[in-house]
Amino acid sequence: MTNRNPRLVVSTGAGISAESGISTFRDAGGLWEQYPVMDVASADGFARNPALIHRFYNERRHALGTVRPNRAHEILRELEEHFDVYVITQNVDDLHERAGSTKVLHLHGELMKMRAVDDPGFIRPFRDYDDTSSVDTVVEGHHMRPHIVFFQEAVPMFEPATEIAAEADIFVIIGTSLAVYPAAALVQYVRKGTPIYYIDPHPSRVPDGVTVIRATATEGMAELARILLKE
Ligand code: APR
């Protein structure tokens, strides 16, 4: 009988990357105050003006190259020494991977990848190509688009995410307003009686039975690590 480490499933949103200098979406001054979301992040917007969407994600990809994971990302990686950690993120940045987390599932896609417009399974990392895409970007005969789940598009990774959440021994939500579905429904797949923590300085839509740690991601993760490692 292997002594399986307890499974720690962590659902992260834009708030965990805020202290790395990446702006969230719905805080004051957030991304959706600066850009019309349906123009830069929806299927209709991509059909209407793909060049604008390529430019929007090129800007975010280039900005990502100038920031680093913060202490919250690093603590998550360090917890892998004691727990079987699964990160399920709504974020499209690669900060969890750059911090060294080994199991990361992106619900809303990945800034550092592009995919074929005509084949969602044809995915390529930007690092092997110029890190800027346009409507003229063609790889192996395929016109390419950002590997991002736009609003009005399906979230194919949600089902695998629910299967991971259903096996959680501890579930943690960090830095998300829980405003967007189906991601916000993930907590409903956690088994009854499983301890759930929610780390956020301004928690909203707090699900029932959740222990709130009202703090930033870096402070909250330090607090959570103390709680989990004392048990
Ligand atoms: N530490 C932790 N949480 C923070 C911090 C911080 N330093 N700063 C802000 N937050 C919290 C806010 O209080 C808020 O609850 O992060 C959350 C950010 O919420 P949103 O901006 O709505 O981001 P998110 O929940 O990740 O958005 C979900 O919406 O537009 C789509 O696809 C996009 O993945 C995104 C999804």
Side-chain angles (χ1 to χ4, degrees):
M1 176 69 177
T2 56
N3 67 329
R4 176 176 76 81
N5 280 340
R7 176 177 289 198
L8 172 64
V9 179
V10 185
S11 168
T12 68
I16 197 170
S17 298
E19 290 163 277
S20 292
I22 296 181
S23 100
T24 61
F25 295 95
R26 295 174 183 81
D27 285 313
L31 220 50
W32 296 151
E33 273 184 21
Q34 302 164 43
Y35 295 91
V37 57
M38 294 313 277
D39 290 349
V40 296
S42 78
D44 286 347
F46 190 64
R48 205 170 36 245
N49 185 348
L52 173 64
I53 289 202
H54 278 283
R55 268 202 311 280
F56 176 65
Y57 285 99
N58 288 338
E59 273 173 33
R60 291 182 66 191
R61 188 172 316 105
H62 300 157
L64 180 54
T66 67
V67 301
R68 294 174 26 73
N70 62 58
R71 189 70 195 116
H73 297 104
E74 291 169 355
I75 293 172
L76 261 185
R77 189 243 4 260
E78 291 162 6
L79 285 173
E80 293 196 8
E81 287 150 36
H82 306 276
F83 298 92
D84 182 20
V85 181
Y86 285 77
V87 178
I88 298 172
T89 187
Q90 297 173 79
N91 300 341
V92 295
D93 65 54
D94 61 348
L95 296 181
H96 283 301
E97 289 87 347
R98 283 163 55 191
S101 284
T102 54
K103 292 194 278 264
V104 182
L105 182 154
H106 287 268
L107 289 174
H108 295 162
E110 299 179 62
L111 260 182
M112 298 312 291
K113 293 180 181 169
M114 51 178 148
R115 74 163 188 262
V117 173
D118 61 348
D119 174 4
F122 186 86
I123 299 167
R124 288 294 180 275
F126 271 96
R127 70 166 173 276
D128 297 347
Y129 305 85
D130 174 0
D131 72 350
T132 300
S133 67
S134 78
V135 291
D136 303 321
T137 301
V138 173
V139 173
E140 295 171 37
H142 297 279
H143 276 276
M144 303 300 276
R145 55 164 276 183
H147 179 43
I148 300 290
V149 175
F150 296 146
F151 282 104
Q152 303 167 321
E153 292 186 327
V155 184
M157 295 306 285
F158 183 66
E159 190 181 337
T162 61
E163 289 158 14
I164 293 169
E167 298 295 318
D169 297 311
I170 304 161
F171 192 78
V172 184
I173 304 166
I174 310 177
T176 174
S177 60
L178 294 168
V180 172
Y181 284 80
L186 194 59
V187 67
Q188 292 163 20
Y189 291 80
V190 174
R191 283 169 302 181
K192 261 188 135 17
T194 305
I196 302 175
Y197 298 87
Y198 179 16
I199 299 171
D200 196 299
H202 311 290
S204 52
R205 307 177 183 86
V206 181
D208 293 341
V210 166
T211 303
V212 173
I213 300 176
R214 187 182 293 270
T216 63
T218 53
E219 294 155 5
M221 276 308 297
E223 171 62 15
L224 180 70
R226 280 192 291 277
I227 294 169
L228 296 183
L229 296 178
K230 208 170 47 230
E231 276 172 2

